[in-house]
Amino acid sequence: MPDFKLSRTLEAHKGDVRGVIFPKPGLIASVSRDCTLRTWKHLPGSAGSQYGVEWGSEVTYQSPKYLNSIAWMEDTKLIASAGLAQEITVSPPGANQPPEYVLKGHDSNVCALDYNSGVLISGSWDKTARVWVDRECKYILRGHEQAVWAVLVVAQDQYVTGSADKTIRLWSSGTTVRVYTGHTDVVRCICRIRDDRFASCSNDGSVRIWDFKGSCVAELYGHSSFVYSLAYSPATDEIVSCSEDRSVRVWKDGECVQTISLPCTSVWAVAINSENGDIAAGGSDGTVRVFSRSETSWATKEEIAKFDEQVAGYAISTNEVGNINKEKLPSHEALEVPGTKIGQVIMVKTAYASVDAYQWTGEKWAKIGEVVSGVGSQQKQIYEGQEYDYVFDVDIQEGAPPLKLPYNATENPYMAAQRFLEKNELPLSYLDETAKFIEKNTGGVKIGTQTPLEDPYGSRYIPGEQSSSLTSSQQVPVASEPKRVRFSLFPQKTFLYIKKANVPMLMKKIEEFNATKDPSLTVSSVELSEASKLMAASDSGLDSESARKVASLALRIVRQWPAVEKLGGLDILRVVVGELDDGGTVSEILSVIFNTPGIFDVSNNAMMATRLFVNLFQSEIGKSIIQQPDTRETILDHCRALIGPSISKLTEVALATLVLNFSVLVVSDNDLETAFSVIGIITEYLSIVKDPEAAYRLIVAFGTVLTVGSPEIIEAGKSLDGTKIVHDLKSRIGVEKRIETASDDVLHLLK
């Protein structure tokens, strides 16, 4: 059987392609982080072209938020798509098609869809799967402890789900009848293979095949990173998988028969057309690529050569392939010896002292990239399967074996100390002493003086010391020992506020609008004069009585004036809300904002309301009201609703600051329930944020939530694609050192 070769490269998406279907030889549909569902069709009359069949692209549906799941509804010829909007939209193929219908019910991102025999099933970050029949929710499948990333309809009343909790569940109607365990990380996709089996893939790098009796009948290894998606070809009895290792792999009889490397960081989705066996793959470069075994469908030699050149020119970090001693690498003569198995990778030294990576295709060695230096590529010490910069032997009791204390140079010493004490069941009273031991023996640091509010973050460095109060019988600095080590930024412990206001301009605008009002809606000149004087003094703080007077006037404006004129009233409330010592007035302000039409429909009003929510954290009364479940959830829903491609720069910063304040609060209160909600908002927002200041505050918020002290929060960050999202942010936002540093800290926490 011939190998798959490139057939077509389909380019139109402006963001990662997260899902793809291939229901007909001439029809592909894809969903993307650019918030679009696109359909791709064969162009009429192109079959006879010297370049082969050409594809045209149309936007079928434009979502307000990014899309990441898709399913083909064969009997109705409709496409179901879903994502961060928390709803499932069902549309016919074609250009700008109005949805046939929309299914609502999930409380978070809908990340998985499948359809079979009139039944649609959806999986969500809300930890549930929902079964839909005749446009109604028939069952809510509850049982998974984390996000449901994978779903499969087996029969009308039989379903399979996979989760970030590392388990797979078989359901009969709405009840779990079997739990499958074996994967050691997030289960990302499930697909049906034959009548009596299904396959799953995971962040653990494996593909597993299961029978419906509960047994794992095969484990397929070959990918070197997360495996995101699967598809099955009944005609050839082959499984196709794709991965973060930027490859598509074809499996038959438990063996990898072909590896296709792509020139993108992540291959998110694969689909197979059951009629011709062609493969469609969607990647992080916004491209859908079609591969075929049929020579008549192959791209031109020039296109294939260009594709091979792109793959060969892709830079591979040493972090992906391990530490390399160039002196011991073979020269290009090693390529004259055939490989031992398909997918085998070797590295060879070039004449220019660089290192190239080659992969065995079964027929030849194909260059898949140039190996470049990566962060942290120095030799590391392996302890319990993980890499560390240092592994200390710590003597706790004379005559007893020393305990191992692993530590990475970018880690918060207190987090490492707490992990060490808890693992060895030692009293937490040793926390400070253990952390200082780490700091002193790694050239570590202590937190410096807090920086001013206008620039609340910054580098925190001081020279390290050289002694230790604990006994270290052996210190193993495996990387080159630093003279000083940056302390982690996390957790952020102080709330931020947005209080500065251009009072003269604000009051002038209110006076101009006031002059145009019907007498029943005007504010008296005496009231305006008094409010102007009080607001002029707001920089130095208002007493609670003055704050109430100004708030009363502002509430009338917000209640009674047209939507486009409410901004001034909201701005006043934003400035004074933190000065109020009256819970009743604060609650009234929130009630007006939540229930008055025109607040969140006007961009500037929504931005100012967000700033007001930020300043609630200024007072104990404000924080206590935020901690009330109904208020907290309403504000968090407001956060979710603002996230989208049209968000303004000012709103971006305000929203990021609000999320950061929530992260500080949940860590302070050890509020795990809210932490899960906040981390979902952070990962969603990080995927689209553009402003560097907003991005930095979000990264700090992410790192802060991850320090809440629960392994479940770390797992949630991983399952929500936190690692991938942070990597993407670093490449998208730019090279600001503070963003890079904070991002690296978050990535370390997510290990």
Side-chain angles (χ1 to χ4, degrees):
M1 190 175 293
D3 279 350
F4 285 97
K5 291 188 179 181
L6 181 70
S7 174
R8 285 294 177 268
T9 300
L10 309 181
E11 298 174 312
H13 282 298
K14 296 179 173 62
D16 296 41
V17 177
R18 294 301 303 266
V20 61
I21 56 174
F22 202 165
K24 302 177 183 179
L27 175 64
I28 293 172
S30 53
V31 290
S32 166
R33 277 190 173 149
D34 65 8
C35 306
T36 65
L37 160 63
R38 282 185 174 270
T39 48
W40 309 79
K41 297 180 180 180
H42 283 172
L43 294 177
S46 66
S49 165
Q50 60 176 320
Y51 302 107
V53 175
E54 296 296 327
W55 294 80
S57 170
E58 302 168 321
V59 174
T60 296
Y61 172 65
Q62 176 75 53
S63 172
K65 298 185 179 180
Y66 77 66
L67 296 167
N68 52 30
S69 53
I70 187 170
W72 173 249
M73 305 172 74
E74 174 61 36
D75 50 357
T76 60
K77 303 299 186 286
L78 297 174
I79 302 170
S81 61
L84 288 176
Q86 304 178 19
E87 60 188 27
I88 304 162
T89 302
V90 180
S91 311
N96 299 313
Q97 295 293 322
E100 291 273 331
Y101 56 93
V102 177
L103 304 175
K104 297 183 178 183
H106 283 294
D107 297 327
S108 192
N109 176 35
V110 182
C111 52
L113 293 171
D114 189 50
Y115 184 86
N116 186 19
S117 304
V119 178
L120 178 69
I121 187 171
S122 55
S124 169
W125 290 358
D126 65 13
K127 306 179 188 178
T128 72
R130 288 178 175 252
V131 177
W132 310 84
V133 178
D134 296 331
R135 307 189 184 187
E136 299 290 336
C137 182
K138 184 177 181 181
Y139 302 116
I140 301 176
L141 308 183
R142 292 187 173 95
H144 284 295
E145 297 176 359
Q146 294 187 33
V148 179
W149 277 98
V151 292
L152 173 70
V153 178
V154 179
Q156 288 195 339
D157 281 312
Q158 191 176 36
Y159 327 105
V160 181
T161 58
S163 168
D165 66 13
K166 308 175 188 177
T167 68
I168 297 169
R169 287 175 177 257
L170 177 65
W171 306 78
S172 178
S173 300
T175 304
T176 299
V177 295
R178 185 165 289 114
V179 177
Y180 298 75
T181 59
H183 281 299
T184 58
D185 210 329
V186 177
V187 180
R188 299 301 294 250
C189 183
I190 297 171
C191 78
R192 183 77 173 271
I193 56 172
R194 309 174 195 164
D195 290 336
D196 59 343
R197 294 181 179 182
F198 65 91
S200 63
C201 64
S202 165
N203 281 6
D204 64 14
S206 73
V207 176
R208 293 175 181 243
I209 299 174
W210 312 82
D211 62 29
F212 287 100
K213 297 178 181 178
S215 298
C216 179
V217 297
E219 298 178 24
L220 312 181
Y221 292 95
H223 285 293
S224 60
S225 190
F226 302 163
V227 186
Y228 291 130
S229 180
L230 297 171
Y232 177 66
S233 172
T236 59
D237 193 26
E238 291 174 321
I239 298 171
V240 176
S241 59
C242 64
S243 167
E244 181 72 10
D245 66 9
R246 69 190 186 95
S247 76
V248 172
R249 290 178 182 254
V250 184
W251 308 84
K252 186 174 180 64
D253 298 329
E255 297 292 332
C256 179
V257 297
Q258 187 179 356
T259 300
I260 307 169
S261 295
L262 276 68
C264 58
T265 302
S266 309
V267 189
W268 288 114
V270 288
I272 295 176
N273 178 258
S274 59
E275 293 182 40
N276 60 20
D278 287 358
I279 298 171
S284 57
D285 58 353
T287 302
V288 177
R289 293 178 174 87
V290 183
F291 299 90
S292 179
R293 280 180 167 140
S294 171
E295 186 173 356
T296 59
S297 298
W298 290 345
T300 63
K301 292 181 179 179
E302 292 77 15
E303 287 178 291
I304 293 176
K306 180 181 178 181
F307 171 74
D308 290 342
E309 183 180 347
Q310 290 173 335
V311 173
Y314 199 86
I316 303 172
S317 169
T318 52
N319 292 337
E320 296 181 42
V321 296
N323 298 296
I324 299 170
N325 185 338
K326 290 185 182 180
E327 301 305 318
K328 295 184 178 180
L329 289 178
S331 67
H332 272 69
E333 294 175 355
L335 303 178
E336 298 175 5
V337 179
T340 57
K341 60 182 295 186
I342 292 173
Q344 177 188 358
V345 175
I346 65 170
M347 286 167 285
V348 298
K349 182 171 56 179
T350 72
Y352 304 100
S354 60
V355 177
D356 290 341
Y358 285 82
Q359 187 172 69
W360 181 247
T361 67
E363 297 178 353
K364 65 176 183 177
W365 290 104
K367 184 180 176 183
I368 59 171
E370 179 180 349
V371 180
V372 299
S373 295
V375 177
S377 58
Q378 302 97 326
Q379 180 64 39
K380 299 269 189 174
Q381 176 75 15
I382 303 297
Y383 175 66
E384 294 187 341
Q386 296 189 34
E387 293 182 338
Y388 293 94
D389 294 322
Y390 301 86
V391 177
F392 298 103
D393 281 350
V394 180
D395 291 322
I396 296 296
Q397 181 178 343
E398 188 173 352
L403 301 176
K404 298 291 185 182
L405 196 169
Y407 172 70
N408 277 312
T410 56
E411 190 174 8
N412 183 330
Y414 279 86
M415 292 184 65
Q418 181 174 339
R419 181 181 63 233
F420 168 75
L421 295 174
E422 289 177 348
K423 177 179 179 180
N424 293 286
E425 298 183 351
L426 297 171
L428 286 178
S429 57
Y430 284 123
L431 182 63
D432 283 342
E433 190 175 3
T434 308
K436 289 175 183 176
F437 163 78
I438 295 172
E439 291 174 355
K440 291 174 182 178
N441 286 281
T442 59
V445 303
K446 300 174 184 177
I447 296 179
T449 305
Q450 173 142 357
T451 51
L453 178 61
E454 289 75 20
D455 185 16
Y457 315 107
S459 300
R460 301 166 184 173
Y461 296 96
I462 65 170
E465 301 172 2
Q466 300 301 318
S467 61
S468 171
S469 57
L470 292 178
T471 301
S472 171
S473 57
Q474 182 185 13
Q475 299 167 17
V476 189
V478 195
S480 55
E481 187 166 353
K483 293 182 179 179
R484 62 183 187 181
V485 178
R486 180 184 51 75
F487 195 89
S488 174
L489 291 165
F490 319 130
Q492 170 76 12
K493 295 182 179 179
T494 57
F495 298 105
L496 303 185
Y497 319 120
I498 307 176
K499 293 190 63 179
K500 189 174 181 180
N502 186 342
V503 173
M505 181 64 70
L506 164 62
M507 299 310 297
K508 179 181 178 182
K509 203 68 179 176
I510 289 176
E511 289 173 4
E512 290 176 358
F513 284 137
N514 191 54
T516 67
K517 294 287 167 291
D518 181 272
S520 63
L521 300 178
T522 57
V523 179
S524 71
S525 58
V526 174
E527 289 177 293
L528 280 177
S529 176
E530 183 180 12
S532 295
K533 291 177 182 177
L534 292 174
M535 287 295 295
S538 62
D539 279 348
S540 56
L542 295 174
D543 61 74
S544 58
E545 182 59 32
S546 298
R548 272 195 296 274
K549 286 182 180 179
V550 180
S552 177
L553 179 146
L555 282 169
R556 285 164 53 194
I557 292 173
V558 174
R559 282 191 177 107
Q560 298 177 3
W561 287 14
V564 294
E565 298 177 4
K566 295 181 187 295
L567 183 65
L570 290 168
D571 204 359
I572 291 174
L573 292 174
R574 184 262 307 183
V575 172
V576 305
V577 71
E579 310 288 353
L580 294 166
D581 63 1
D582 173 11
T585 303
V586 175
S587 296
E588 181 185 4
I589 290 171
L590 293 179
S591 177
V592 169
I593 289 175
F594 293 155
N595 299 308
T596 301
I599 300 292
F600 300 113
D601 298 332
V602 177
S603 176
N604 281 340
N605 291 348
M607 177 272 294
M608 198 60 69
T610 306
R611 289 182 171 185
L612 185 152
F613 296 151
V614 167
N615 291 346
L616 282 172
F617 291 85
Q618 183 180 349
S619 68
E620 291 302 318
I621 286 177
K623 283 185 283 188
S624 68
I625 291 175
I626 289 171
Q627 288 166 321
Q628 296 172 5
D630 289 347
T631 303
R632 180 185 66 229
E633 289 307 311
T634 302
I635 295 177
L636 290 174
D637 284 344
H638 164 72
C639 294
R640 297 183 185 99
L642 280 179
I643 299 171
S646 61
I647 187 171
S648 70
K649 178 178 179 179
L650 290 177
T651 308
E652 277 198 325
V653 175
L655 181 56
T657 309
L658 177 57
V659 173
L660 176 56
N661 280 354
F662 265 111
S663 74
V664 175
L665 185 66
V666 298
V667 173
S668 174
D669 293 348
N670 197 31
D671 181 358
L672 294 184
E673 181 180 353
T674 305
F676 281 112
S677 297
V678 172
I679 207 167
I681 292 169
I682 290 171
T683 51
E684 177 182 352
Y685 192 10
L686 278 172
S687 301
I688 60 99
V689 68
K690 301 182 185 69
D691 180 75
E693 180 60 35
Y696 183 63
R697 295 187 183 201
L698 278 174
I699 282 289
V700 175
F702 199 179
T704 297
V705 173
L706 291 174
T707 66
V708 76
S710 168
E712 293 179 344
I713 296 298
I714 300 293
E715 287 302 315
K718 293 178 181 178
S719 69
L720 296 176
D721 279 340
T723 301
K724 167 65 176 163
I725 289 168
V726 173
H727 276 301
D728 288 350
L729 176 79
K730 289 174 66 178
S731 62
R732 189 177 77 249
I733 292 294
V735 293
E736 281 198 29
K737 182 63 178 177
R738 60 176 185 160
I739 295 177
E740 181 180 0
T741 299
S743 296
D744 288 342
D745 278 0
V746 169
L747 292 172
H748 179 76
L749 289 171
L750 289 170
K751 281 185 178 178

